[in-house]
Amino acid sequence: METNTDDFELELPKTEQEDSMTEKSEPQKSDEEMFGGTFETAEEMQKSRQKKNNSEVFEKKENGETKKNGSGKLFLIIAIVLAALALVYVVLNKSAIFQKNVPAQPKTFPQNPSKNSGGKFAVKNFHFGNSFKGNVGGEYVARLYIQGVIQEANEKYNQEWLLATIEGLKDDPYNLGILLVVDSPGGTVYESDEAYLALREYKKSGKPIWAYFESLAASGGYYISCAADTIWANRNTLTGSIGVIAGASVDATGFLEKLGVKATTFHAGKNKNMLNYNSPLTEEQRAIMQSIADDAYEQFTGIVASARQKSIEEIAAIADGRIYTARQAKANGLIDSIGSLEDAQEKFQEKIKKDFEDDSISVEFFDYKYEYEPPFLNKFFRVISGAKNPEALLDPITKAALETLAPEIKYPAYLYKN
């Protein structure tokens, strides 16, 4: 029997892998389908193939550049957004939005004591770097802290900040007074008097100033507090130290001579080099420096006498530079009361109620405290050195030499800067 192979085909069973390959595979395209059109010669087909290959390479390169440009644009957009946010922050920081958010009807104090708005008042704090900005909703008493050595600037005290704060409180219709919270050993004549005068100017607005002494309120710290109408002190306070240090003289000529060292300072004016370590102090120079101390002392005692309503003679009798305990200071008339900060605040509130003739008034105390933000390099240096005080890194010989040539003034003190 003859078999006709055209009538049927023998199908052998396929494996699962072959079935899968068959389903996924596509029919093979001819050269004409792949490169478009028909070609009379092999050379034409080769040129068409090369042209298509070049086109594919260009598309890949273009896609890559598109992705790269897309990433660059995204980075630029992010940078613009960050810059815009920084600008908004600076604008808001300087605007009234961050400084005040108060109701529409402030008190007039104390010209019309019958007016008041009463009620409880919310307080919020905002700190930005070295400055302090408050957001106060309603009448308040500013608890103004004076801490550390009184000088131009240090980690606890900043003269520029203090003066700006006092000026801002004076112009704020919602501020009803200041409670000075003093914890200072004193400081320089110039800054102490400048702060005192700023507080006296504040009082011209008719607002009261009280003071509360914490552990130490001596010399320049007491000087500033003389602007207060009433002074309270903690029972463990040390205060007083009413006196002046005008400077110090160290004559190192004998010491240098033994070492075989001759130091000369060229100067014009016979007293120009006074107080220098290589110039012995003359009697004339001694009298010059004493006159400076006496003049500042006269100013100091005059301010104390006026503030405490005593005679110059009464103050001079107790103003010999010594410090006093709270009980001694009260007995001498340098303070009014002894108690806690809460006691002082309660009495201050009573005074405000009396001034306004309204016992329903409730006024919050709002803190104004300088916050030091050290520069980045200072932070970096301290982290690397492990020293909280950079002077601790000095060797003993260097420290001894510095102390000899420029001895440190021991506080409490009310002194002139060199």
Side-chain angles (χ1 to χ4, degrees):
M1 176 186 293
E2 293 184 0
T3 304
N4 188 355
T5 58
D6 294 333
D7 295 339
F8 67 92
E9 293 181 358
L10 181 62
E11 293 184 2
L12 297 176
K14 297 180 180 179
T15 64
E16 293 180 4
Q17 184 176 5
E18 289 174 332
D19 286 336
S20 176
M21 292 178 64
T22 303
E23 292 175 1
K24 294 182 180 180
S25 62
E26 297 180 355
Q28 184 69 29
K29 294 182 179 180
S30 64
D31 289 340
E32 288 80 6
E33 291 175 325
M34 290 179 63
F35 305 112
T38 58
F39 308 98
E40 295 180 359
T41 65
E43 183 179 356
E44 290 180 356
M45 186 176 70
Q46 182 66 26
K47 288 182 179 180
S48 180
R49 182 185 291 117
Q50 185 64 37
K51 183 178 180 181
K52 184 172 180 62
N53 289 341
N54 292 340
S55 176
E56 290 175 354
V57 170
F58 177 81
E59 286 182 6
K60 290 180 180 179
K61 183 177 180 180
E62 188 176 37
N63 291 336
E65 288 293 329
T66 301
K67 292 180 180 179
K68 184 176 180 180
N69 291 338
S71 300
K73 290 180 180 178
L74 179 60
F75 177 81
L76 181 60
I77 291 173
I78 293 174
I80 293 174
V81 170
L82 291 176
L85 290 175
L87 180 61
V88 170
Y89 171 81
V90 171
V91 172
L92 291 179
N93 187 23
K94 294 183 178 181
S95 71
I97 296 175
F98 273 72
Q99 297 180 16
K100 293 294 172 187
N101 181 19
V102 291
Q105 299 296 328
K107 282 187 173 67
T108 55
F109 183 90
Q111 290 80 0
N112 191 354
S114 63
K115 291 186 178 181
N116 69 85
S117 58
K120 297 287 185 179
F121 307 109
V123 174
K124 296 181 180 179
N125 300 337
F126 293 92
H127 297 273
F128 295 99
N130 287 355
S131 63
F132 181 96
K133 294 184 179 179
N135 185 327
V136 185
E139 288 85 359
Y140 67 98
V141 171
R143 200 158 41 206
L144 181 58
Y145 286 79
I146 297 178
Q147 298 177 311
V149 177
I150 300 165
Q151 55 187 166
E152 184 176 358
N154 56 57
E155 293 189 5
K156 289 186 176 181
Y157 183 91
N158 186 287
Q159 184 77 355
E160 183 180 3
W161 173 88
L162 179 63
L163 297 179
T165 300
I166 295 171
E167 180 68 19
L169 294 172
K170 179 174 71 73
D171 297 335
D172 184 359
Y174 299 93
N175 171 252
L176 300 183
I178 291 177
L179 176 61
L180 298 173
V181 181
V182 184
D183 190 3
S184 170
T188 59
V189 171
Y190 184 86
E191 277 76 18
S192 297
D193 188 58
E194 191 177 36
Y196 166 79
L197 293 176
L199 289 168
R200 293 282 298 175
E201 189 67 24
Y202 169 91
K203 290 178 69 174
K204 291 181 180 180
S205 65
K207 305 173 186 179
I209 298 177
W210 282 29
Y212 181 81
F213 293 168
E214 295 190 316
S215 63
L216 185 62
S219 206
Y222 186 82
Y223 188 112
I224 292 176
S225 302
C226 286
D229 306 305
T230 302
I231 298 177
W232 279 68
N234 184 279
R235 65 180 184 176
N236 297 308
T237 294
L238 291 177
T239 187
S241 187
I242 301 172
V244 179
I245 296 175
S249 173
V250 176
D251 182 2
T253 54
F255 174 71
L256 295 175
E257 186 177 352
K258 288 181 180 181
L259 296 177
V261 177
K262 180 65 175 177
T264 301
T265 300
F266 298 98
H267 61 282
K270 61 180 180 179
N271 294 314
K272 185 62 177 178
N273 196 42
M274 70 178 184
L275 303 185
N276 201 348
Y277 70 94
N278 63 355
S279 178
L281 191 67
T282 67
E283 288 303 317
E284 181 184 15
Q285 292 168 354
R286 187 184 302 274
I288 291 172
M289 295 308 300
Q290 188 60 52
S291 68
I292 293 173
D294 291 342
D295 193 59
Y297 177 80
E298 183 178 343
Q299 177 177 291
F300 196 167
T301 53
I303 286 173
V304 175
S306 175
R308 304 310 300 169
Q309 298 181 356
K310 292 181 177 292
S311 67
I312 290 291
E313 292 74 22
E314 287 177 301
I315 295 301
I318 59 176
D320 59 1
R322 77 179 70 185
I323 55 176
Y324 295 100
T325 65
R327 286 193 301 173
Q328 292 170 341
K330 189 173 186 300
N332 289 329
L334 294 177
I335 65 172
D336 299 293
S337 300
I338 298 174
S340 66
L341 179 59
E342 289 73 20
D343 294 334
Q345 291 179 170
E346 183 179 347
K347 293 297 182 181
F348 202 175
Q349 285 180 323
E350 290 178 6
K351 172 181 171 46
I352 292 175
K353 292 178 181 179
K354 182 179 179 180
D355 289 339
F356 284 96
E357 299 179 355
D358 189 345
D359 292 336
S360 66
I361 297 175
S362 178
V363 179
E364 298 292 338
F365 286 83
F366 183 45
D367 285 342
Y368 282 76
K369 183 183 295 185
Y370 174 69
E371 293 187 355
Y372 174 74
E373 182 67 24
F376 172 77
L377 289 179
N378 285 23
K379 292 181 180 179
F380 182 74
F381 177 75
R382 290 183 180 183
V383 169
I384 289 186
S385 65
K388 294 183 179 179
N389 181 8
E391 293 180 1
L393 300 177
L394 296 176
D395 61 89
I397 297 177
T398 303
K399 291 168 71 173
L402 289 175
E403 180 64 22
T404 300
L405 298 178
E408 179 185 359
I409 299 298
K410 307 300 181 184
Y411 290 97
Y414 174 70
L415 69 152
Y416 278 96
K417 291 182 290 188
N418 292 331

